[in-house]
Amino acid sequence: MASLLQPDRVVYLVRGEKKIRAPLSQLYFCRYCSELRSLECVSHEVDSHYCPSCLENMPSAEAKLKKNRCANCFDCPCCMHTLSTRATNIPAPLPDDPTKTAMKKAYYLACGFCRWTSRDVGMADKSVASGGWQEPENPSTQRINKLIEYYQQLAHREKQDRDRKKLARRRQCMPLAFSEKYGLGTRLQRQRSGAPISSLSGLSLKEGEDQKEITIEPAQALDEVEPLPEDCYTRPISLPEVTTLRQRLLQPDFQPAGASQLHPRHKHLLMKRSLRCRKCEHNLSKPEFNPTSIKFKIQLVAVSYIPEVRIMSIPNLRNMKESQVLLTLTNPVENITHVTLAPCEDEDPDDINSTAKVMVPSKELVLAGKDAAAEYDELAEPQDFQDDPDVVAFRKSNKIGFFIRVIPQKDEDADVTVSFKIRHDFRNLAAPVRPSEEGADTTAAAAEAIWLTHHVELRLGPLAP
């Protein structure tokens, strides 16, 4: 199949905050809005943080405190693979008799991919297998902490000003009778002029403590810099001893120039996130909380609800000559789906990339429901849909192959692109339905079909020479 490993050749249009064209495998379907959703028109929510190596789960507050890094796992500073702890025996003097030695177990970090070890940079071995590895200190730590405290105080002060203005605006709009009814006027009169409002007094960074004014010294530019060493241009360079640009950028606090200055870095945490529709606020994707599980509690991917169009075979396309392209259409739901194809209108605002004229089947295409057991049941009798052989090339389970005719209109080196509309019925069996006034059966109401229309674009490749 021409588009099996090239999903970007068939894209669907998503009409969200901005129009996005993406493969169906990268889209979600909101069952409550009955619309396609992309990653740019949904809300992203962080559920949990976890380490991809040891799978330790931690809440967001703890992850923020640890700077989103695992305390026990390390990455190789050379190749960025995960480091493992190795054990070895080293001779050590006996405490009773220093002249005699005995074998003692020691642990060090080693990379199984590039063979880098913590001994290469002079890190001391440890007597225990976990924790306590030597880490270099950043010379600018105090300066960075001072800047963080200063900007935290500045942000807190701006938040107080916003809340004070908001409350003052609310007091101006408050009727006098309303304020006297609940005793708010007397309460506000008791406060001395210029004193902070009691509702805002609890917005301090440290409750019960007087905040000290934090001042920072502005950075001073130096006129003189350290000169380059005398042998800078004459010393031979050994490339294995020089760090790459990526290795330096992964350690921005040190930016080591030599391989002997590379130290292991704590492994970055990953996160599990939920996706929520911005229009109806329902979840589109929600994974399980346990980091060892790859299952989802909710996973409304579009390929499970929307018929998928794929390219099966493409003939040699020539300018202003009609060609027949074979497409496949797959039904992902268990009930029979009716599909109608229609070409785009002349002034369609969605049709901006077409470079060819397309003629689609005018007859309705009927897709059988998805049946997982039908693929293995060779004795099952096929359903008789009375297909037109000029339109439907083959039918197998919930998939059909059909023909479209394409006439390229532009003699260019770019790929030939065609667009058309696909309209199908959809029965929402999972979304809650309000009971009707006539007292009709809710099951029948839930199974009532609605018709959805999608804009599909196919990239068929370049013209034949």
Side-chain angles (χ1 to χ4, degrees):
M1 188 171 294
S3 66
L4 181 61
L5 301 179
Q6 298 173 335
D8 57 333
R9 299 187 65 173
V10 180
V11 295
Y12 287 66
L13 177 63
V14 181
R15 300 178 181 89
E17 297 178 356
K18 59 180 181 179
K19 294 183 178 180
I20 297 174
R21 290 167 170 81
L24 194 65
S25 57
Q26 300 177 9
L27 300 178
Y28 294 85
F29 179 73
C30 181
R31 296 181 301 189
Y32 306 90
C33 304
S34 298
E35 295 177 359
L36 290 174
R37 293 285 182 260
S38 66
L39 290 177
E40 297 192 19
C41 54
V42 296
S43 299
H44 300 254
E45 302 174 357
V46 178
D47 287 346
S48 63
H49 295 78
Y50 69 96
C51 174
S53 179
C54 62
L55 298 180
E56 179 186 1
N57 195 4
M58 62 183 68
S60 299
E62 184 181 354
K64 184 178 180 181
L65 187 63
K66 294 182 178 180
K67 300 180 180 179
N68 290 327
R69 292 183 179 270
C70 180
N72 302 321
C73 302
F74 293 86
D75 281 336
C76 175
C78 289
C79 64
M80 295 77 188
H81 283 71
T82 304
L83 294 176
S84 57
T85 304
R86 300 288 180 85
T88 184
N89 294 324
I90 59 174
L94 295 175
D96 299 336
D97 190 359
T99 59
K100 297 182 179 180
T101 59
M103 301 306 292
K104 182 182 178 182
K105 187 167 280 191
Y107 299 91
Y108 63 97
L109 297 175
C111 176
F113 188 78
C114 68
R115 304 301 179 185
W116 181 91
T117 65
S118 57
R119 296 177 174 180
D120 296 344
V121 293
M123 293 179 60
D125 297 342
K126 295 296 178 182
S127 58
V128 292
S130 59
W133 296 103
Q134 177 185 354
E135 297 182 19
E137 294 183 2
N138 187 1
S140 304
T141 301
Q142 295 182 357
R143 174 71 175 175
I144 294 175
N145 293 336
K146 197 78 172 179
L147 290 172
I148 291 175
E149 293 178 1
Y150 173 76
Y151 284 110
Q152 282 180 346
Q153 176 183 340
L154 194 63
H156 170 67
R157 196 175 299 165
E158 292 177 354
K159 184 177 183 297
Q160 276 189 333
D161 293 341
R162 287 195 304 268
D163 293 342
R164 190 177 290 109
K165 292 179 181 179
K166 189 185 300 182
L167 187 59
R169 195 183 307 115
R170 194 178 303 165
R171 285 171 56 197
Q172 293 176 1
C173 302
M174 185 185 302
L176 181 62
F178 179 79
S179 60
E180 293 298 333
K181 179 180 179 181
Y182 294 99
L184 297 178
T186 307
R187 180 181 177 187
L188 295 175
Q189 289 176 0
R190 291 178 183 175
Q191 297 182 350
R192 64 183 185 275
S193 60
I197 303 175
S198 59
S199 62
L200 298 176
S201 60
L203 295 176
S204 59
L205 291 175
K206 296 182 179 179
E207 189 174 356
E209 298 181 4
D210 296 334
Q211 297 185 29
K212 297 180 180 179
E213 186 72 19
I214 300 176
T215 58
I216 57 174
E217 298 179 0
Q220 299 292 335
L222 299 178
D223 296 333
E224 298 181 359
V225 295
E226 297 181 2
L228 293 174
E230 295 180 358
D231 58 346
C232 178
Y233 298 103
T234 59
R235 183 177 65 247
I237 298 177
S238 177
L239 292 181
E241 297 178 0
V242 180
T243 56
T244 62
L245 183 61
R246 183 187 180 192
Q247 292 171 351
R248 299 187 191 188
L249 294 180
L250 285 175
Q251 299 187 12
D253 44 356
F254 299 103
Q255 297 189 13
S260 59
Q261 303 171 1
L262 291 174
H263 284 76
R265 305 293 292 173
H266 287 277
K267 198 167 192 65
H268 259 298
L269 299 179
L270 299 182
M271 68 176 182
K272 288 195 170 187
R273 62 178 179 177
S274 298
L275 303 179
R276 190 182 296 272
C277 177
R278 293 181 183 175
K279 186 176 180 180
C280 64
E281 298 294 330
H282 284 91
N283 276 323
L284 301 180
S285 175
K286 189 172 183 62
E288 290 190 356
F289 190 78
N290 190 358
T292 61
S293 175
I294 60 173
K295 297 181 180 179
F296 287 83
K297 297 179 181 178
I298 302 174
Q299 183 74 329
L300 304 182
V301 291
V303 291
S304 300
Y305 299 93
I306 306 299
E308 183 180 9
V309 178
R310 284 186 175 180
I311 305 172
M312 188 169 184
S313 66
I314 304 174
N316 292 330
L317 301 175
R318 302 187 185 277
N319 187 32
M320 304 304 295
K321 291 187 178 180
E322 182 178 311
S323 302
Q324 201 172 42
V325 179
L326 179 59
L327 306 180
T328 63
L329 194 61
T330 307
N331 181 20
V333 296
E334 296 180 354
N335 49 285
I336 296 178
T337 302
H338 300 79
V339 179
T340 304
L341 304 179
C344 296
E345 299 179 356
D346 295 338
E347 298 181 356
D348 192 347
D350 298 333
D351 188 16
I352 59 176
N353 298 325
S354 293
T355 61
K357 182 180 179 181
V358 60
M359 288 160 282
V360 297
S362 58
K363 296 183 179 180
E364 183 181 71
L365 303 177
V366 182
L367 301 179
K370 181 181 180 180
D371 187 4
E375 299 180 3
Y376 308 99
D377 190 4
E378 299 178 354
L379 301 178
E381 296 181 359
Q383 301 180 15
D384 185 14
F385 289 97
Q386 298 180 357
D387 297 324
D388 185 358
D390 296 334
V391 175
V392 178
F394 68 91
R395 177 182 294 273
K396 181 179 180 182
S397 184
N398 60 327
K399 180 193 296 185
I400 66 169
F402 64 98
F403 297 105
I404 62 172
R405 290 177 292 170
V406 177
I407 304 177
Q409 302 289 323
K410 296 182 180 180
D411 190 7
E412 299 177 352
D413 294 336
D415 291 344
V416 177
T417 305
V418 296
S419 304
F420 56 87
K421 306 290 185 182
I422 175 173
R423 187 170 179 264
H424 66 95
D425 58 341
F426 173 71
R427 290 174 175 79
N428 195 356
L429 303 177
V433 179
R434 297 178 182 176
S436 58
E437 296 180 356
E438 293 86 1
D441 187 11
T442 57
T443 305
E448 183 178 355
I450 59 175
W451 288 88
L452 305 178
T453 304
H454 307 287
H455 180 83
V456 183
E457 293 185 3
L458 307 179
R459 186 161 54 88
L460 302 178
L463 294 174

